[in-house]
Amino acid sequence: MYTKDGENYFIVDSHVHFWDGSPANQANRYGKGFIECFYDYSRNLSPQEWVWPLEKFEKYTEADLMHDLFEIGYVDKAIFQPTYLTDFFVNGFNTTEQDGAIAQRHPDKFIVNGSWDPRDGEAGLDRLEQLAQRWGLRGVKLYTAEWKGQSKGWKLTDDWSYRYLEKCRQLGIRNIHIHKGPTIYPLNRDAFDVADVDDVATAFPDLNFIIEHVGLPRLEDFCWIATQEPNVYGGLAVVMPFIHTRPRYFARVLGELLYWLDENRLTFASDYAIWSPTWLVERFVDFQIPQDMQDEYGQLTTDVKKKILGLNAAALYDIPVPEEARVRPEPADSGEAVGSAPAVPA
């Protein structure tokens, strides 16, 4: 746990990777462009002392991963989110199998999530069931803009997507993480649009839809969807590093999310190895909404920070939380935290 000023923070990093973006694994110029786009995000939004050489960024080691997350990164539990991209990388970019091998060697440190693509049809349904049985899946990560042959993306509302969501329900996979955020070269921006989220959230109220990157740059669209769909959550990967380069922008994004969703539906994510949890956790615990923005957004309380940094993801994945890191009962009408959005009229 991270401890500061007598407060203990249980950290669940809900979005980490163990990828191979090395030249030897790049299938074409798109694989090269993809990992270099990742690297640009990393070096442009990180403190200089946390920027790696490109060669290390392309393929880091298991020892790097364990050191950065658990030895210096304050992380108590990390959730692997796979990204296959088999059209761009010979052996896949970051697969469930790669992640699972790491998790097996480090019991109790990781949760392994799977993935599916509705364009794989019946064979993909069988493979999802095999993954679920092999790794005890409680979540999946979906990439609606992934290329497959001549197809450059799919929608959550596609007929086959519904088949896969039904399969998740049958298998007890209740956490559906979906990349809906900034584009990465060469993927298409419109294929990451959040417009298909509300339909499936309404159709599957017993599933949780964690929208990774909170739809950026479509924050307003995401917020209007999430405020009416109680099973829609915001994953803060990509949002978090703006705490360094654009702190007022970070305050504005977080303030809007807390207003529309409330503090119980936001999850911390470093998106490792794009960014490191060490400086993100430290900066977030110390962060406060700027004084001149507090009339609109209020203040961040310690309890709100605890929920975002770990307690919310722990609740989604039934992760036990030590007593000393839980939130205290809040007094009624404290007026400290950011307010919630009014109900949307019918």
Side-chain angles (χ1 to χ4, degrees):
M1 289 185 291
Y2 181 63
T3 300
K4 180 74 180 288
D5 297 330
E7 295 287 350
N8 296 310
Y9 299 82
F10 185 78
I11 309 299
V12 178
D13 195 335
S14 65
H15 195 138
V16 305
H17 310 279
F18 186 64
W19 65 58
D20 181 0
S22 65
N25 196 37
Q26 294 168 12
N28 45 44
R29 66 184 178 93
Y30 299 125
K32 182 177 187 294
F34 185 91
I35 191 65
E36 290 179 353
C37 184
F38 260 24
Y39 187 63
D40 286 342
Y41 277 118
S42 177
R43 65 187 181 89
N44 289 331
L45 296 180
S46 297
Q48 187 58 43
E49 63 269 24
W50 289 99
V51 177
W52 291 350
L54 176 60
E55 294 75 16
K56 178 180 178 180
F57 187 84
E58 288 173 334
K59 187 177 182 180
Y60 46 96
T61 67
E62 181 177 337
D64 292 328
L65 174 80
M66 298 306 296
H67 174 75
D68 294 343
L69 294 184
F70 302 107
E71 294 178 22
I72 67 168
Y74 312 115
V75 175
D76 293 287
K77 185 79 78 172
I79 303 175
F80 275 128
Q81 305 289 2
T83 310
Y84 279 69
L85 297 173
T86 51
D87 275 23
F88 301 163
F89 296 93
V90 177
N91 298 310
F93 181 61
N94 165 50
T95 68
T96 302
E97 293 78 7
Q98 291 168 324
D99 297 340
I102 298 288
Q104 280 189 310
R105 289 192 287 271
H106 303 279
D108 303 323
K109 292 295 187 183
F110 296 99
I111 290 171
V112 177
N113 276 358
S115 184
W116 50 259
D117 188 318
R119 295 168 295 185
D120 291 335
E122 291 287 352
L125 289 172
D126 292 339
R127 182 176 178 278
L128 175 60
E129 184 166 355
Q130 293 167 5
L131 283 178
Q133 293 172 350
R134 174 67 182 85
W135 303 108
L137 298 184
R138 287 175 276 172
V140 291
K141 168 71 181 304
L142 309 181
Y143 224 64
T144 57
E146 183 167 354
W147 291 8
K148 187 177 287 290
Q150 297 302 307
S151 172
K152 293 187 176 181
W154 56 276
K155 293 183 180 297
L156 294 169
T157 49
D158 291 347
D159 290 343
W160 272 101
S161 173
Y162 266 69
R163 292 276 303 276
Y164 278 78
L165 290 169
E166 288 282 3
K167 189 69 171 180
C168 286
R169 174 186 276 166
Q170 294 168 13
L171 294 170
I173 301 171
R174 69 177 188 269
N175 295 313
I176 314 298
H177 297 255
I178 311 160
H179 180 115
K180 293 289 188 179
T183 189
I184 305 120
Y185 177 89
L187 305 177
N188 297 332
R189 177 181 181 273
D190 288 347
F192 283 136
D193 197 292
V194 297
D196 53 353
V197 171
D198 56 340
D199 186 272
V200 293
T202 299
F204 296 91
D206 51 334
L207 300 181
N208 304 311
F209 293 88
I210 302 93
I211 308 307
E212 300 295 343
H213 321 300
V214 299
L216 290 178
R218 307 169 186 84
L219 179 66
E220 187 170 358
D221 288 349
F222 169 71
C223 286
W224 279 97
I225 290 169
T227 198
Q228 70 179 19
E229 304 287 353
N231 56 334
V232 169
Y233 292 69
L236 296 178
V238 173
V239 177
M240 293 300 305
F242 283 105
I243 202 171
H244 168 63
T245 57
R246 298 279 303 281
R248 291 183 65 85
Y249 175 72
F250 175 78
R252 188 176 308 113
V253 171
L254 188 62
E256 291 295 329
L257 290 168
L258 287 167
Y259 177 79
W260 293 101
L261 277 74
D262 78 42
E263 71 270 19
N264 298 307
R265 288 193 283 150
L266 298 175
T267 60
F268 168 74
S270 69
D271 219 344
Y272 183 88
I274 306 180
W275 299 284
S276 169
T278 308
W279 66 270
L280 293 174
V281 169
E282 292 173 349
R283 295 283 185 95
F284 185 63
V285 168
D286 291 344
F287 185 79
Q288 187 53 262
I289 302 291
Q291 185 69 38
D292 64 328
M293 301 173 72
Q294 289 183 11
D295 284 347
E296 183 172 5
Y297 295 126
Q299 296 181 354
L300 292 177
T301 67
T302 297
D303 284 355
V304 168
K305 293 176 182 178
K306 287 184 176 185
K307 289 180 179 182
I308 291 173
L309 283 172
L311 303 187
N312 292 341
L316 287 172
Y317 281 88
D318 300 320
I319 302 169
V321 177
E323 180 67 34
E324 63 269 24
R326 299 175 188 173
V327 299
R328 297 177 294 272
E330 296 181 4
D333 301 319
S334 66
E336 293 182 278
V338 180
S340 297
V344 177

